[in-house]
């Protein structure tokens, strides 16, 4: 059946956590459409590492089974990562249930995850071809659930500093306005990847030549990481915007009025509200603010939580497409 859970932004909207029940144990996890491993803090980790975290205890689950000899190791673009061994258990997300889901039990986690005590791990929702389990690659929760969901979809409704929703198996049209604009997804990269070749600032004339012209929908990345041409074009319209090497990105006066950004999603222009591009102050005085739109040299571009705060997104695993609408 379908499943629906509330998600909650961590302070500063840096990540969005929602409850997942694994073998009868409910833990808060980071739903991540930009990776494909479900890994958890668990009782194999040292008490120091576990300090402050919830932990999954496989010994307490009557449905846990070890996958002997299976291991995982994942690293992310910010240098963080996790590694460990693997078992299976029953996973229930708001009513959507999968038995025999691969549960990756971290025995080693990087510092940024250790200090992030509200998160018990990540649940990967990109395509299973990116899963890192060896010797036998495992499927994501969504992949395993597809056949049993009323509709082969999951949706992300992320909000600034407010509760939102992750839903599996149904599209709740009360969560967005107007029709969903659907675009085909190129699954070759293993990401929810689509064409994004144009942008406009504050309703101005669109530019139509973004190098590479590809982007992914990534709930696991906090910011919107776009081509330099998009970043330059956008911040040229923001008084006082500078590339601030000290803090590692574009900053501007917190008093600045930020224009909306229109960005191409498979041929339809989606809007990212200017307010959502004012990410956070970089200093105690709240004078200088850090942009939610930053440059990346990696391809494809990464449309993270900043994009989702202005746009409801439906991920269709039946026909590999993305539906986007303002919310
Ligand atoms: O990995 C994911 C989604 N899971 C993130 C899990 C996670 C990683 N630290 C976390 C910390 C807290 C919670 C979740 C996570 N998305 C993708 S696709 C391509 C890249 C990439 C590849 C090369 C270079 C750059 C990006 C990333 C990436 O590294 N994003 C994270 C990030 C984070 C900071 C800055 C840039 C990119």
């Amino acid at each position: 059946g379908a499943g629906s859970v509330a998600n909650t932004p961590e302070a500063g909207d840096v990540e969005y956590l929602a409850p997942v029940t694994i073998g009868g144990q409910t833990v808060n996890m980071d739903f991540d459409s930009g990776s494909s491993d479900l890994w958890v803090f668990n009782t194999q980790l040292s008490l120091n590492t576990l300090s402050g975290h919830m932990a999954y205890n496989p010994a307490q689950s009557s449905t846990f089974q070890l996958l002997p000899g299976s291991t995982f190791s994942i690293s992310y673009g910010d240098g963080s990562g996790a590694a460990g061994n693997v078992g299976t258990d029953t996973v229930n997300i708001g009513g959507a249930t999968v038995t025999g889901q691969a549960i990756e039990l971290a025995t080693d986690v990087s510092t940024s995850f250790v200090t992030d005590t509200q998160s018990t791990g990540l649940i990967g929702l990109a395509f299973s071809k990116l899963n890192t389990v060896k010797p036998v690659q495992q499927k994501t929760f969504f992949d395993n659930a597809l056949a049993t969901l009323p509709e082969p979809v999951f949706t992300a409704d992320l909000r600034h500093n407010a509760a939102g929703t992750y839903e599996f198996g149904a599209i709740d049209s009360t969560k967005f306005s107007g029709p969903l604009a659907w675009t085909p997804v190129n699954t070759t990269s293993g990401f929810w990847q689509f064409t994004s070749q144009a942008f406009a600032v504050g309703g101005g004339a669109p530019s139509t030549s973004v190098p590479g012209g590809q982007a992914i929908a990534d709930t696991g990345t906090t910011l919107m990481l776009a081509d330099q041409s998009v970043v330059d074009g956008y911040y040229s319209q923001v008084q006082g915007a500078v590339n601030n090497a000290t803090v590692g990105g574009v900053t501007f006066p917190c008093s600045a009025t930020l224009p909306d950004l229109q960005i191409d999603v498979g041929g339809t222009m989606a809007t990212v509200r200017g307010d959502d591009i004012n990410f956070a102050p970089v200093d105690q005085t709240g004078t200088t603010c850090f942009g939610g739109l930053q440059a990346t040299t990696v391809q494809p571009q990464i449309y993270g939580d900043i994009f989702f705060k202005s746009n409801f997104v439906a991920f269709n695993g039946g026909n590999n497409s993305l539906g986007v609408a303002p919310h």
Side-chain angles (χ1 to χ4, degrees), residues 35-82:
S35 68
S36 307
D37 284 52
L38 191 168
W39 67 263
V40 285
F41 277 75
N42 64 90
T43 42
Q44 295 175 101
L45 289 162
S46 71
L47 289 178
N48 265 355
T49 302
L50 283 177
S51 170
H53 282 269
M54 291 190 277
Y56 166 68
N57 183 347
Q60 292 290 314
S61 167
S62 59
T63 42
F64 174 79
Q65 286 194 314
L66 187 68
L67 277 179
S70 286
T71 60
F72 82 99
S73 178
I74 189 163
S75 57
Y76 306 102
D78 61 346
S80 66

Side-chain angles (χ1 to χ4, degrees), residues 100-327:
Q101 171 65 44
I103 310 294
E104 301 170 33
L105 306 170
T107 54
D108 191 26
V109 289
S110 61
T111 317
S112 65
F113 290 120
V114 174
T115 54
D116 182 11
T117 54
Q118 298 312 302
S119 172
T120 316
L122 271 64
I123 172 166
L125 298 168
F127 292 89
S128 299
K129 70 190 314 186
L130 293 180
N131 178 267
T132 72
V133 174
K134 292 183 172 38
V136 179
Q137 191 174 54
Q138 299 296 308
K139 290 185 174 182
T140 67
F141 172 83
F142 181 51
D143 221 354
N144 284 323
L146 267 179
T148 61
L149 293 173
E151 289 176 60
V153 298
F154 73 91
T155 66
D157 167 29
L158 304 185
R159 297 180 182 254
H160 165 62
N161 199 29
T165 309
Y166 284 116
E167 187 152 14
F168 291 86
I171 295 175
D172 179 351
S173 56
T174 68
K175 295 276 169 54
F176 54 90
S177 42
L180 284 170
W182 290 97
T183 175
V185 160
N186 179 338
T187 65
T188 312
S189 64
F191 295 118
W192 290 90
Q193 183 171 320
F194 53 91
T195 298
S196 184
Q197 292 172 318
F199 72 97
V201 184
S207 87
T208 55
S209 61
V210 177
Q214 297 292 299
I216 67 168
D218 182 358
T219 57
T221 293
T222 310
L223 303 183
M224 192 164 167
L225 307 176
D227 185 82
Q228 193 67 53
S229 60
V230 178
V231 171
D232 291 348
Y234 180 78
Y235 288 115
S236 69
Q237 304 304 310
V238 177
Q239 290 296 326
V242 294
N243 195 12
N244 188 327
T246 323
V247 299
V250 178
T251 62
F252 41 79
C254 294
S255 56
T257 305
L258 294 173
D260 291 350
L261 170 72
Q262 287 83 33
I263 196 89
D264 173 28
V265 177
T268 303
M269 296 303 271
T271 296
V272 180
R273 280 188 296 273
D275 288 352
D276 285 331
I277 296 177
N278 185 341
F279 179 62
V282 296
D283 53 21
Q284 267 65 28
T285 60
T287 321
T288 304
C289 278
F290 192 75
L293 174 72
Q294 297 293 342
T296 179
T297 53
V298 301
Q299 289 281 345
Q301 303 169 96
I302 303 171
Y303 294 177
D305 298 338
I306 296 289
F307 176 82
F308 285 87
K309 282 186 257 189
S310 297
N311 293 284
F312 176 96
V313 179
F315 299 76
N316 187 317
N319 62 12
N320 294 331
S321 64
L322 274 179
V324 178
H327 70 159

